[in-house]
Amino acid sequence: MREKGADLARPTVHDIAKEAGVSLATVDRVLNARPGVRAKTIARVNDAVSRLGYVRDTYAANLARQRQYRFAFLLPESSSQFANALQEALQEAYSSNVADRTELKVIRVPSQDPHAIVRTLKSMNTSRLDGLAMMVPETPQVRDAVSRLKDSGLAVVTLVSDLPNSRRDFFVGVNSIAAGRTAGLLMGRFVRGPGEILVVTDSLQSRDSLERRLGFDAVISREFRSITALPTLESYGDLARLQRIVETAVAARRDLVGVYSMGSGNMTLMSALRGSGRLGELDVLVHELTPAMRCALQDNEVTAVIAQNVGHLVRSALRVLRNVCDHRPIYEAQERVRIEVVLRENLP
Amino acid sequence: MREKGADLARPTVHDIAKEAGVSLATVDRVLNARPGVRAKTIARVNDAVSRLGYVRDTYAANLARQRQYRFAFLLPESSSQFANALQEALQEAYSSNVADRTELKVIRVPSQDPHAIVRTLKSMNTSRLDGLAMMVPETPQVRDAVSRLKDSGLAVVTLVSDLPNSRRDFFVGVNSIAAGRTAGLLMGRFVRGPGEILVVTDSLQSRDSLERRLGFDAVISREFRSITALPTLESYGDLARLQRIVETAVAARRDLVGVYSMGSGNMTLMSALRGSGRLGELDVLVHELTPAMRCALQDNEVTAVIAQNVGHLVRSALRVLRNVCDHRPIYEAQERVRIEVVLRENLP
DNA sequence: CCCATTTTGAGGTACGATCATCTTTTTTGC
DNA sequence: GCAAAAAAGATGATCGTACCTCAAAATGGG
């Protein structure tokens, strides 16, 4: 925003030099924190900077400095539609103007195999890389690997799923407890009358699922006394097992009113529910807006999807990585990823 | 994303010249559509461009060309918290790195006064401006004024509220019908049992309100037969009147189960509802996430807020304005603003 | 084949900043 | 007060692109 009567053009380093009464070289030394300037002079330059409201032209700077950001994204290899959506969003962020002077590399690893993840992390050529964003399950070995990556100077952010107590620089994703609470609130408000809720996930070993369940239960038990959330069914990543346990549960529980899926495998879940013939009487809530879930929403098979915008995720991750690389601060408020509620009528 | 084995650095104009076997000057003439190049040579250069996958470095280009985008935002002056939020988002987009080489000016006009709007539009110095984003109510006079602005070469986008059949270049905002449908679906799913819904707005003269009502009714009447949406109460921007008509309606309608506010004045609406003592039994749905509505959500006074992300709105508007100015295409998919559903548990 | 007209080439300057080198001035310590 | 060290200044190259000028080459018409 421009002040009235202010100069039209924004000030450059030359203006700073003039204003501070020093040479261009000195301004440059101060701005880039190079040694050989007295504290008094540094203050003079900084004064001029704030007086004129100078902000460095980052693009000109990166141009001159031949800055190249080399980032890698570590995503699960599973056929998960969500990871594919992330990769697409990355591609898009890259081809649109956002990702300038940035080289991206996507590495897919089998997410069930912590060993493979660690192997990949260890084998990374850190000298040809400036930053890493990763979406991996939490294990102590991964935490250690992150520590080594930080030692070699990489910027590291966790994506979607965090690694608490690790040395990662930042977490880009949503708060799983809040996501679970949102699901709980929606479920409680949507379902009619007393009844039971089926809760399904891959594995409660995963922190995300655990936290979603925590949030879900907190809201349900405090505010919706008439409905009961059943113990979590775990598929352990086995789709056949998922189909089986869902079919069994639906058959056994006659007063089921809703289904909450905290993990992946939603296509299989839906097919099991369809098979049961009771889909019409159930409110189904799932996470992540995949193409299959879009259709399910449109067909009224799923009531709501709790989603996070993959575009935001990758742009945020890129911004954070760049800022960490340049030792610039991170604007936490801007990087907070929203918990989106997607219904049939507000499908993007 | 980098191809394996591809060159690390992205190609520059020099590479194009070499690849096409022409001089730098010719490449420049082709890239910037300057005359004096044979069709055959143009083709050679374009071939080289696509072969090498050259994309012009926009920032270097703008640097060289000393490009400055001068944009104005015309926002309603009313004490509307929404317009303030927009202005803040604009400020933020400006100070964060997004809005480079862009001068922004915010003009607030009394939105109830179409005359004042037209006067402002007419008095604009179009020679010192490249683009204009405006959030104004639809009138024929405004449409004409837009036409004049387009004649003088400005890029014009409508923000939040569209001017259909005008010569604006683009509309940045949500589809009001879909927003109304979303509200209808939420209301239908939230309220219990048969009953009536109070529908309130500033004025149905405004296209947004009309369309929201349309969408709302479509969903309610088709899918939720047991609930009745009452005729729209209009406040005509008069807060005292709003308070009065809401109080009267709530007192008269004993089987009210919900309130849908399509317009502004939600603080007054809430105070009227609070006064009635029946707030606890009502589901309240409103548009736009203002600070007051945040509190109302947290206090369980409002069930859901249908919102649009003001940050997106302004970033999208800025992107579109820049693209129009440079005669570049607009990626419609990226500019589609989402209809957000905000509940107590997913408050951003 | 020559001359006028296009078309192309070569080269410079600029944008805002970074960085390196070299010189001059100022500040120190003794 | 003088030499050494530190601080500041001066200058020029560079990044990728735009835009300008002038000269050289290719083309086309008669």
Side-chain angles (χ1 to χ4, degrees):
Chain A
M1 282 346 133
R2 194 174 79 233
E3 303 274 319
K4 255 186 208 159
D7 249 295
L8 284 152
R10 45 190 264 192
T12 73
V13 277
H14 295 88
D15 301 317
I16 300 298
K18 225 172 285 172
E19 175 79 11
V22 300
S23 76
L24 207 60
T26 302
V27 172
D28 180 66
R29 286 189 264 253
V30 173
L31 288 182
N32 295 290
R34 272 189 276 275
V37 188
R38 267 180 310 181
K40 221 176 77 186
T41 315
I42 295 183
R44 281 237 308 274
V45 172
N46 285 329
D47 276 5
V49 164
S50 52
R51 252 203 313 281
L52 298 187
Y54 168 82
V55 275
R56 142 204 280 115
D57 182 330
T58 327
Y59 298 108
N62 282 344
L63 178 61
R65 141 182 3 189
Q66 279 292 80
R67 187 86 173 86
Q68 273 279 81
Y69 301 94
R70 297 160 303 176
F71 298 148
F73 277 68
L74 199 64
L75 302 178
E77 184 179 57
S78 70
S79 59
S80 143
Q81 291 186 305
F82 180 68
N84 291 337
L86 265 179
Q87 185 161 1
E88 270 169 45
L90 211 47
Q91 181 64 255
E92 145 115 35
Y94 179 75
S95 51
S96 93
N97 54 7
V98 189
D100 293 72
R101 312 204 151 269
T102 303
E103 274 177 51
L104 295 181
K105 207 171 144 187
V106 176
I107 306 168
R108 303 289 290 256
V109 281
S111 58
Q112 292 89 317
D113 184 355
H115 212 71
I117 296 171
V118 172
R119 211 172 330 118
T120 308
L121 289 177
K122 279 190 180 167
S123 72
M124 252 175 340
N125 187 344
T126 55
S127 65
R128 316 200 59 194
L129 209 57
D130 302 302
L132 175 67
M134 51 179 171
M135 171 182 173
V136 296
E138 186 187 9
T139 64
Q141 292 78 22
V142 171
R143 249 196 301 265
D144 289 348
V146 167
S147 192
R148 269 188 298 274
L149 292 173
K150 282 307 299 172
D151 282 334
S152 60
L154 276 201
V156 178
V157 314
T158 46
L159 195 64
V160 179
S161 155
D162 196 12
L163 296 173
N165 306 317
S166 73
R167 290 177 52 204
R168 97 276 187 284
D169 296 288
F170 202 76
F171 165 57
V172 175
V174 305
N175 177 336
S176 293
I177 298 181
R181 292 183 62 94
T182 305
L185 179 57
L186 282 172
M187 187 65 92
R189 298 296 320 252
F190 280 156
V191 301
R192 304 279 121 151
E196 297 175 325
I197 308 291
L198 198 66
V199 183
V200 192
T201 191
D202 302 76
S203 159
L204 279 183
Q205 302 280 5
S206 123
R207 180 184 214 99
D208 296 339
S209 284
L210 198 67
E211 292 183 344
R212 285 173 181 172
R213 174 86 221 209
L214 227 64
F216 188 78
D217 286 348
V219 171
I220 292 286
S221 63
R222 192 159 59 82
E223 295 184 51
F224 304 99
R225 296 285 168 74
S226 67
I227 69 182
T228 313
L230 298 171
T232 310
L233 296 184
E234 297 174 84
S235 71
Y236 304 115
D238 176 348
L239 293 181
R241 180 187 151 87
L242 174 61
Q243 174 110 19
R244 213 169 50 242
I245 57 181
V246 169
E247 277 168 357
T248 313
V250 174
R253 301 288 181 168
R254 295 318 303 172
D255 44 0
L256 218 53
V257 290
V259 179
Y260 175 37
S261 167
M262 304 188 298
S264 61
N266 287 329
M267 289 175 75
T268 306
L269 169 71
M270 293 313 294
S271 99
L273 291 177
R274 264 182 226 115
S276 76
R278 291 179 61 197
L279 195 45
E281 9 169 333
L282 298 176
D283 270 302
V284 181
L285 253 63
V286 305
H287 284 272
E288 307 321 342
L289 186 64
T290 58
M293 291 305 103
R294 293 182 64 93
C295 298
L297 271 176
Q298 273 165 328
D299 297 346
N300 273 322
E301 294 184 331
V302 162
T303 311
V305 175
I306 318 283
Q308 41 193 331
N309 189 318
V310 287
H312 288 184
L313 284 170
V314 304
R315 285 191 289 272
S316 187
L318 288 172
R319 254 194 317 268
V320 170
L321 284 174
R322 273 191 281 260
N323 283 352
V324 172
C325 284
D326 296 345
H327 306 103
R328 276 187 315 231
I330 297 164
Y331 294 94
E332 306 232 2
Q334 201 190 347
E335 311 306 348
R336 208 161 293 144
V337 180
R338 298 197 177 195
I339 300 171
E340 297 188 354
V341 174
V342 185
L343 309 167
R344 178 189 13 120
E345 300 297 349
N346 71 335
L347 265 177
Chain B
M1 265 21 107
R2 195 171 79 233
E3 304 273 321
K4 252 186 211 160
D7 248 295
L8 284 152
R10 47 190 260 191
T12 74
V13 277
H14 296 86
D15 300 317
I16 301 298
K18 225 171 287 171
E19 176 79 11
V22 299
S23 76
L24 209 60
T26 302
V27 172
D28 181 65
R29 287 189 264 254
V30 173
L31 289 181
N32 295 291
R34 271 188 277 275
V37 187
R38 269 180 306 181
K40 222 177 75 185
T41 316
I42 294 183
R44 281 239 305 274
V45 171
N46 285 330
D47 276 5
V49 164
S50 52
R51 253 201 313 279
L52 297 188
Y54 168 81
V55 275
R56 156 208 259 113
D57 182 329
T58 326
Y59 298 108
N62 283 344
L63 176 62
R65 141 182 3 189
Q66 279 293 78
R67 186 89 173 83
Q68 273 280 82
Y69 301 93
R70 297 159 303 176
F71 297 147
F73 277 68
L74 198 66
L75 301 178
E77 184 180 57
S78 71
S79 58
S80 142
Q81 291 186 305
F82 180 69
N84 292 337
L86 265 179
Q87 185 160 0
E88 270 170 45
L90 212 46
Q91 181 65 256
E92 146 115 34
Y94 179 75
S95 51
S96 93
N97 54 6
V98 190
D100 293 72
R101 310 206 150 266
T102 303
E103 275 178 49
L104 294 181
K105 206 170 144 188
V106 176
I107 306 168
R108 304 288 290 253
V109 282
S111 58
Q112 291 89 319
D113 185 354
H115 212 71
I117 296 171
V118 173
R119 212 175 326 118
T120 308
L121 289 177
K122 279 189 181 167
S123 72
M124 251 172 342
N125 186 344
T126 55
S127 65
R128 315 199 61 195
L129 208 58
D130 302 302
L132 174 67
M134 51 181 172
M135 171 181 172
V136 297
E138 186 186 9
T139 64
Q141 292 79 23
V142 172
R143 249 195 302 265
D144 290 348
V146 167
S147 192
R148 270 189 296 276
L149 292 173
K150 281 308 298 172
D151 281 334
S152 61
L154 274 200
V156 177
V157 313
T158 46
L159 196 63
V160 178
S161 155
D162 196 11
L163 296 174
N165 307 316
S166 74
R167 291 178 52 205
R168 94 277 187 286
D169 295 288
F170 202 77
F171 164 57
V172 175
V174 305
N175 178 336
S176 293
I177 298 182
R181 291 183 63 94
T182 305
L185 179 57
L186 283 172
M187 187 64 92
R189 298 296 320 252
F190 281 156
V191 300
R192 304 278 122 152
E196 296 175 327
I197 309 291
L198 197 67
V199 182
V200 192
T201 190
D202 301 75
S203 160
L204 280 183
Q205 302 279 7
S206 121
R207 180 185 215 94
D208 297 339
S209 284
L210 198 67
E211 292 183 343
R212 285 172 181 174
R213 175 84 221 209
L214 228 63
F216 189 76
D217 285 348
V219 171
I220 292 285
S221 64
R222 191 160 59 82
E223 295 184 51
F224 304 99
R225 296 285 168 73
S226 68
I227 69 182
T228 313
L230 297 170
T232 311
L233 295 183
E234 297 173 84
S235 70
Y236 304 115
D238 176 347
L239 293 180
R241 180 187 150 86
L242 174 62
Q243 174 111 21
R244 213 169 49 243
I245 57 180
V246 169
E247 278 167 356
T248 313
V250 174
R253 301 288 180 167
R254 297 316 303 171
D255 44 1
L256 217 53
V257 289
V259 178
Y260 175 37
S261 167
M262 305 187 298
S264 62
N266 288 328
M267 288 174 75
T268 307
L269 170 71
M270 293 313 295
S271 98
L273 291 177
R274 263 182 226 114
S276 77
R278 292 179 61 197
L279 194 46
E281 8 170 333
L282 298 176
D283 270 301
V284 181
L285 252 62
V286 304
H287 284 273
E288 308 320 342
L289 186 64
T290 58
M293 290 305 102
R294 293 182 62 94
C295 298
L297 271 176
Q298 272 164 330
D299 297 346
N300 272 323
E301 293 184 333
V302 162
T303 311
V305 175
I306 316 284
Q308 40 193 332
N309 189 317
V310 288
H312 288 184
L313 284 170
V314 305
R315 283 191 291 272
S316 187
L318 288 172
R319 250 194 320 266
V320 170
L321 284 174
R322 264 181 239 135
N323 283 351
V324 172
C325 285
D326 297 345
H327 305 102
R328 276 187 314 231
I330 297 163
Y331 295 93
E332 306 232 2
Q334 201 191 346
E335 311 306 348
R336 207 161 293 145
V337 179
R338 300 199 174 192
I339 300 171
E340 297 188 354
V341 173
V342 186
L343 308 167
R344 177 187 16 119
E345 300 297 351
N346 72 335
L347 265 176

